[in-house]
C-alpha cells in the first residue's frame, strides 16, 4: 500500500502545475496576519483517503515552496563592478651617467713637461749690478730649456769696439746637487782658455781670451750648463762678471741671471 501511495504522490507532483500567483498571495497574507485556521476533517473519512490527501497537500506545498523560493530569492549582483583605481606607479628618474663611451676609460692627463721658467724679478742696476760700461753691454738670464733636474745660465755680451783682452766668469751658487755638465760660447773655442771648477760653494766657469787674439765688435754669448737637485732651482745667488780692454781703455760689467725672455 505504501508503494501505491508513493507512486500516486509522485504522479501528482509531476502533474502539478503550481499557481505561482496564488502561492505568492498566500505568502504575503501569511506574512501580514496570523495563519488561517483549518477545520479538522471529520472522522467519517477513511484513513487511506485522509492519508493520501495529506501527502498530496504536502507534496503541493513542498513544490510550491521551492517555486516561491526561486521567485523571491535575492537578485544576483549587478554585472558592473566598481574597482578602486590603482595607485599610479612612482616615476623613477635615472641618475645621469658620465658621457663616456661604453667600455672606455678616461685617460689620465699627460704630465706637464719638465721645463721650468725661473721666477723672480729681473736684476736691476744697483751696487751689485752694473750691466753696461761705455761701449760694453751685458745681460744674464736662465735658459728657457732648463728643467727640474738641469739648468743653463746664459750671458749675452755686446761690444761696440773690438776687444783685445777679455775675461768672462759665470758663478753658479751651490744650491744642492750642482754639478758641471758642459759649457759653450759663440766665439771660436781655440781663442779661449776655459775652466770649470767649484770653489767655496760656487761653481765657476771662466773664459780667458788668449794673448794676441781679438774679439770683434758685435753680440756674443757664453753659457754654463749643470745638474742640480730635483725641483725648481733659484738663480738668485748666481752672478757674472766681465773684464775687457778696448782701444778706449778697460771696461767692466757684472750682474745676475733673471728669467729667460
Amino acid at each position: 500500500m505504501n508503494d501505491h501511495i508513493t507512486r500516486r504522490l509522485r504522479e501528482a507532483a509531476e502533474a502539478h502545475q503550481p499557481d505561482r500567483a496564488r502561492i505568492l498571495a498566500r505568502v504575503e497574507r501569511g506574512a501580514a496576519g496570523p495563519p488561517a485556521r483549518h477545520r479538522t476533517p471529520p472522522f467519517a473519512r477513511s484513513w487511506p483517503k485522509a492519508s493520501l490527501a495529506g501527502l498530496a497537500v504536502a507534496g503541493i506545498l513542498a513544490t510550491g515552496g521551492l517555486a516561491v523560493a526561486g521567485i523571491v530569492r535575492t537578485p544576483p549582483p549587478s554585472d558592473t563592478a566598481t574597482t578602486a583605481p590603482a595607485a599610479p606607479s612612482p616615476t623613477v628618474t635615472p641618475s645621469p651617467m658620465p658621457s663616456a663611451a661604453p667600455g672606455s676609460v678616461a685617460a689620465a692627463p699627460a704630465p706637464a713637461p719638465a721645463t721650468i721658467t725661473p721666477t723672480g724679478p729681473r736684476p736691476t742696476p744697483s751696487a751689485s749690478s752694473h750691466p753696461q760700461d761705455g761701449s760694453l753691454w751685458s745681460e744674464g738670464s736662465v735658459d728657457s730649456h732648463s728643467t727640474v733636474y738641469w739648468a743653463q745660465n746664459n750671458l749675452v755680451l755686446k761690444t761696440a769696439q773690438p776687444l783685445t783682452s777679455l775675461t768672462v766668469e759665470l758663478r753658479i751658487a751651490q744650491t744642492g746637487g750642482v754639478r758641471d755638465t758642459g759649457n759653450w760660447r759663440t766665439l771660436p773655442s781655440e781663442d779661449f782658455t776655459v775652466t770649470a771648477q767649484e770653489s767655496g760653494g760656487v761653481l765657476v766657469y771662466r773664459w780667458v781670451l788668449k794673448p794676441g787674439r781679438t774679439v770683434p765688435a758685435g753680440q756674443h754669448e757664453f753659457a754654463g750648463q749643470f745638474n742640480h737637485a730635483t725641483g725648481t732651482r733659484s738663480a738668485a745667488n748666481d752672478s757674472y762678471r766681465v773684464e775687457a780692454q778696448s782701444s778706449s781703455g778697460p771696461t767692466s760689467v757684472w750682474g745676475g741671471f733673471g728669467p729667460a725672455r
Side-chain angles (χ1 to χ4, degrees):
M1 182 175 179
N2 289 338
D3 293 339
H4 176 74
I5 293 173
T6 300
R7 184 173 64 254
R8 291 289 303 276
L9 288 175
R10 184 181 297 112
E11 293 174 354
E14 293 175 354
H16 176 70
Q17 297 294 331
D19 189 343
R20 299 173 65 181
R22 289 186 63 189
I23 293 172
L24 287 176
R26 291 177 63 183
V27 171
E28 292 176 358
R29 285 199 303 269
R37 299 177 63 181
H38 300 281
R39 284 184 171 182
T40 302
F43 289 100
R45 290 183 175 180
S46 62
W47 181 86
K49 292 182 178 180
S51 299
L52 181 60
L55 293 175
V57 171
I60 293 171
L61 291 177
T63 305
L66 293 175
V68 171
I71 295 172
V72 300
R73 69 173 184 265
T74 303
S78 172
D79 293 336
T80 304
T82 303
T83 305
S89 300
T91 301
V92 179
T93 303
S95 300
M97 298 297 292
S99 55
S104 66
V105 178
T115 300
I116 61 171
T117 300
T119 58
R122 181 174 296 277
T124 56
S126 64
S128 61
S129 179
H130 183 66
Q132 187 171 0
D133 183 13
S135 62
L136 189 64
W137 177 92
S138 64
E139 181 181 50
S141 65
V142 177
D143 193 90
S144 61
H145 295 94
S146 298
T147 72
V148 294
Y149 311 105
W150 174 91
Q152 175 177 299
N153 283 11
N154 301 327
L155 173 64
V156 175
L157 189 65
K158 294 180 182 180
T159 177
Q161 296 179 354
L163 302 176
T164 57
S165 173
L166 177 64
T167 299
V168 177
E169 281 188 0
L170 305 186
R171 302 175 65 84
I172 311 302
Q174 181 56 263
T175 55
V178 173
R179 297 289 183 274
D180 168 44
T181 59
N183 64 85
W184 55 269
R185 87 265 89 215
T186 55
L187 292 167
S189 60
E190 61 271 16
D191 288 355
F192 290 87
T193 300
V194 183
T195 60
Q197 60 184 9
E198 186 174 348
S199 176
V202 177
L203 176 61
V204 180
Y205 294 93
R206 182 181 288 114
W207 293 265
V208 178
L209 184 65
K210 293 179 179 180
R213 307 296 175 93
T214 301
V215 174
Q219 177 173 311
H220 312 288
E221 190 169 354
F222 297 81
Q225 302 170 330
F226 53 92
N227 289 334
H228 60 78
T230 303
T232 302
R233 180 183 179 276
S234 172
N237 294 321
D238 298 348
S239 63
Y240 68 87
R241 186 176 182 87
V242 179
E243 302 285 347
Q245 179 75 39
S246 67
S247 58
S248 300
T251 56
S252 298
V253 292
W254 60 87
F257 295 89
R261 288 186 176 182

